[in-house]
Amino acid sequence: QTVVELSGLTKRYGDVTAVHDLSFSVQRGEFFSILGPSGCGKSTTLRTIAGFENASEGTIKIDGEDITGTPAHQRETGMVFQNYALFPHKSVGENIGFGLKMDSVPKPEREDRVAEILATVDLDGFEQRMPNELSGGQQQRVALARALIIQPSVLLLDEPLAALDLQLRQNMRFELQQIQDRLDITTIYVTHDQEEALSMSDRILVLDGGTAQQIDTPRELYNNP
Ligand code: ADP
Ligand code: ADP
């Protein structure tokens, strides 16, 4: 079952073509990585799927519905940014519940769902903490919880481990995979780290200069780089 389908996606910034004629689809439950060097168009692709950028050409479908012109907050996407982008003056609970509040979910239900998702990311009871009281790994998990709480069709992760030290990165990689398995969620994961992509993904799209080079399983990629 196809969850995300890109057809001929092109994104230009003035004279710069950040992404050129990109087509791929991602299946339910799949962990799909976009791999390539800095500046190759990974973030642009993800931000366009999330609706933070408008496509110059092409279409994006989620769950079979064309959402190319739909505003970001109406898309079934949850995004985690490289720098977490938590609201510094809001508590963990407020950060995570923010999207539900915007959707007018009543407070008691909001609190239940925040508690539940905090347990999922192993931060039980952290509702009242402030972001600056948390470690990098804990902030990352809050950002993940904030993306997951709306039960998105697809989770979009933009180099979520880049700011963590090596040991924490290994731990978070393992935790991400566990959460992914437990929730059976569809994930698009952006990274410039080949080893990370090979070890975590069901399939990998290799991007270079905004153009798809290949889309393969890690095994195929490893054997035919
Ligand atoms: P990556 O995520 O792979 O590092 P990006 O998607 O951030 O790559 O960038 C792809 C290309 O598009 C780069 O040349 C970058 O400078 C350019 N670009 C990205 N965002 C903008 C923007 N808002 N305005 C102009 N150029 C941009
Ligand atoms: P990434 O680490 O994902 O490649 P960057 O650090 O390159 O991101 O870019 C951070 C922000 O700056 C993004 O929002 C991106 O759209 C914007 N940006 C990147 N390149 C340019 C550019 N050439 N001109 C204007 N904005 C840019």
Side-chain angles (χ1 to χ4, degrees), residues 71-117:
H73 68 273
Q74 289 170 16
R75 297 188 184 194
E76 299 289 313
T77 55
M79 180 136 169
V80 176
F81 300 89
Q82 191 174 123
N83 57 6
Y84 321 136
L86 300 178
F87 301 115
H89 303 297
K90 289 189 194 295
S91 68
V92 165
E94 288 168 338
N95 262 285
I96 297 174
F98 186 74
L100 298 183
K101 196 171 176 182
M102 292 295 104
D103 284 345
S104 307
V105 174
K107 193 168 179 189
E109 183 190 338
R110 225 157 62 212
E111 288 176 349
D112 286 350
R113 282 174 62 181
V114 167
E116 190 184 343
I117 202 74

Side-chain angles (χ1 to χ4, degrees), residues 43 47 53 82 158:
S43 288
R47 290 201 309 268
E53 307 280 357
Q82 191 174 123
D158 190 357

Side-chain angles (χ1 to χ4, degrees), residues 13-14 16-19 36-45 47 53 158-159 190 207:
Y13 297 103
V16 177
T17 301
V19 175
S38 182
C40 75
K42 305 183 295 295
S43 288
T44 299
T45 303
R47 290 201 309 268
E53 307 280 357
D158 190 357
E159 305 235 15
V190 156
L207 259 192

Side-chain angles (χ1 to χ4, degrees), residues 5-12 17 19-25 45 48 55-61 68 210 212:
E5 188 177 353
L6 263 67
S7 307
L9 179 75
T10 293
K11 175 62 185 177
R12 292 186 208 92
T17 301
V19 175
H20 177 70
D21 194 19
L22 189 59
S23 300
F24 63 82
S25 51
T45 303
T48 309
S56 305
E57 283 173 41
T59 58
I60 303 167
K61 288 183 184 176
T68 313

